[in-house]
Amino acid sequence: MHGYYGTYLTVVVLFAIGAAIVGGAFLANRALRPHRPTPEKLTTYECGVDPVGEGWAQSYVRYYVFAYLYVVFAVDAVFLFPWATVFSAKGYGYVTLGEMFVFLAFIAAGLAYAWKKGVLGWV
Amino acid sequence: MSETHVLAEGATLNSFGHDPWWIIGLKALVVFVFLLLTVLITVWAERRIIGRMQLRPGPNRAGPFGILQALFDGIKGALKEDIVPRGVDKVVFFLAPILAAAPAMVSFSVIPWGGVVSIGGHKTPLQLADLPVAVLLPLAMASIGVYGFVLAGWSSMSPYALLGGLRSSAQVISYEIAMGLSFVAVFLFSGTLSTSEIVAAQAHGTAFKVAGMTLHTPSWYAVLLLPSFIIYIFTMMGESGRIPFDLPEGEGELVAGYHTEYSSLKFMMFYLAEYVNMTTLSALCTTLFLGGYRAPWPITWFWSGANSGWWPVLWFLIKIWMFTFFFIWLRAALPRVRYDQLMKLGWKVLIPVSLGWILFVSVVRALRNEHHDVGPIMIVAAIIVVLLLIASFLWERVSASEAQPEEAEAAAEQDPMAGGFPVPPLDAPHYHGVGNGRAPNSAEATRA
């Protein structure tokens, strides 16, 4: 429980307690709830109408663009965090600032490109 | 209050990792019980407050002021029949609600709810865990929580659920970027990602003397970094998936979104996740922007013991509940936005504004570190901001007047019943560079 990894261990403990609570809740739920399925009950809910076809509907393929953009920008944002913590320490002067400006310029260029391509707009 | 006294009460990274196992277990248990109780009270408070705002009583039968209503609803809901439709992917269908609820609770482990106190002779900080990268944990957990929503939608094999899950993921990941960026300015000032040290960094502003009295500049980042705070408030609404950004479960369009097919305890898990998320986001905001568990200024001014012992827990709870009330208030006051408005706000307003704000803050910090005068920079920045606002306003007026006829034309082109049943336009023309003018491709969104 000591040292650097000790603080991570507490997170593991929290996970274990959580798993126990969730498992216990589902067991109690299984033991106590009624279970009377009928074929109608087990159909997919489509507002009272019989479901058309099976499973999924066609959906906007463009959701994947946002996933790509997220990967790019979230990684970039994470790079900003360590920079922000050492930024005002001694020995990191204008050079550090300039470097991050270049980095942010690249991000901004990426965002501007996506913007120009029109992928940020929703039809 | 003397400086040494304050430092003795606040926790730092060094205060962690010395607890015996039973204190760690106790704190973990307290976090769980606190979150579950808060959810019950929040659900009740929400129904009562919205009832009052809509001139009706709200639940008032179960217990005094109906306070037991949420508890009874929870028990009743968990004991209902669990319907698992025929088509679903059973394993994923079962795991999704857990994946949604668990991360929301884990995030709370890095939130400090008090300074160092003595429990059974042990000095321990009132915070379950602190890491040198603590603030990353809530961000990471929010991303994992998205899996819960997406997988719930995917495994339900229902069009409503699938669309709800996709919407939810696109919304949460879009707003998470702006949320991460809004934190950067805080880290620039505090110089650390550890939550307890961010709270400690907000203990005092720089002192200055007026008429013989020593006064402090505001120390809360909500005041110092107001734009970051405002951006966080927006992203907090987006992340929580509540009104005005509750598109994933817009009942007019998607029944109940990703949890359409869920019932019984599994549905309660999603319900729990939403409300725990609300509490965690409020707590994170309190920690990063409102001085955490520290007493607000007028109280510390006449009461020097306000930050010692167990009192910080009270200030922490008050601050959290202010945010929870804010969530509820917005739900009663605002309509739901459209999905394109939501995405536009996230990508075209919040992210660019965050990037610009980070640049500005870092320049000011750098100049101040080198003891330069920051006055001219402020004036230049103010002029740039005003020019940008004017430009975006003009742009919006121009593009709005251009867009009208083209939109009507585009609507006429599409055959909404292609293939015998309604389908969305899958191949949007602007992906191929055609009709790019119709896509809202510029500063028309700068409605910050």
Side-chain angles (χ1 to χ4, degrees), chain B residues 93-211:
Chain B
F93 190 76
F94 173 75
L95 283 179
I98 301 173
L99 257 182
M105 297 210 161
V106 173
S107 296
F108 208 85
S109 59
V110 295
I111 302 290
W113 14 285
V116 176
V117 297
S118 173
I119 301 177
H122 290 278
K123 286 244 170 227
T124 180
L126 283 178
Q127 177 179 0
L128 182 57
D130 198 2
L131 320 169
V133 291
V135 182
L136 281 183
L137 186 77
L139 285 174
M141 286 301 148
S143 301
I144 291 182
V146 174
Y147 279 103
F149 304 135
V150 166
L151 291 178
W154 177 84
S155 66
S156 291
M157 306 279 174
S158 151
Y160 299 121
L162 181 65
L163 271 178
L166 284 175
R167 273 191 184 185
S168 177
S169 68
Q171 170 179 338
V172 173
I173 62 180
S174 300
Y175 276 71
E176 205 181 308
I177 297 168
M179 181 181 263
L181 291 177
S182 78
F183 291 164
V184 172
V186 171
F187 303 149
L188 276 172
F189 269 72
S190 67
T192 176
L193 267 71
S194 143
T195 44
S196 62
E197 294 193 354
I198 288 174
V199 171
Q202 294 178 74
H204 289 289
T206 36
F208 63 98
K209 285 193 194 291
V210 178

Side-chain angles (χ1 to χ4, degrees), chain A residues 45-56:
Chain A
Y45 181 77
E46 291 196 359
C47 305
V49 186
D50 282 344
V52 179
E54 280 214 2
W56 310 307

Side-chain angles (χ1 to χ4, degrees), chain B residues 4 10 63 70 146 179 218 294 307 390 410 422:
Chain B
T4 48
V146 174
M179 181 181 263
R294 295 194 157 268
N307 279 326
I390 293 173

Side-chain angles (χ1 to χ4, degrees), chain A residues 1-2 10 29 33-34 36 41-45 55-58 62-63 66 70 85 87 94 101 104 115, chain B residues 17 24 78-79 81-82 86 129 143 154 157 159 167 173 193 261 264 347 359 362-363 372 423 431 441-442:
Chain A
M1 295 279 167
H2 293 281
T10 52
N29 175 242
R33 72 185 182 214
R36 282 183 278 281
K41 241 187 226 174
L42 298 184
T43 50
T44 303
Y45 181 77
W56 310 307
Q58 288 180 315
R62 78 176 59 106
Y63 281 103
F66 286 92
Y70 169 71
T85 56
F87 171 72
Y94 291 120
F101 267 43
L104 284 178
W115 198 323
Chain B
I24 294 174
L79 293 178
E81 180 176 2
D82 192 8
R86 255 191 313 269
S143 301
W154 177 84
M157 306 279 174
R167 273 191 184 185
I173 62 180
L193 267 71
E261 298 293 347
S264 190
W347 286 97
L359 290 184
S362 55
V363 168
H372 283 290
V423 288
Y431 274 138
N441 62 350
S442 239

Side-chain angles (χ1 to χ4, degrees), chain B residues 203-220:
Chain B
H204 289 289
T206 36
F208 63 98
K209 285 193 194 291
V210 178
M213 286 198 308
T214 307
L215 294 174
H216 294 284
T217 51
S219 56
W220 286 3

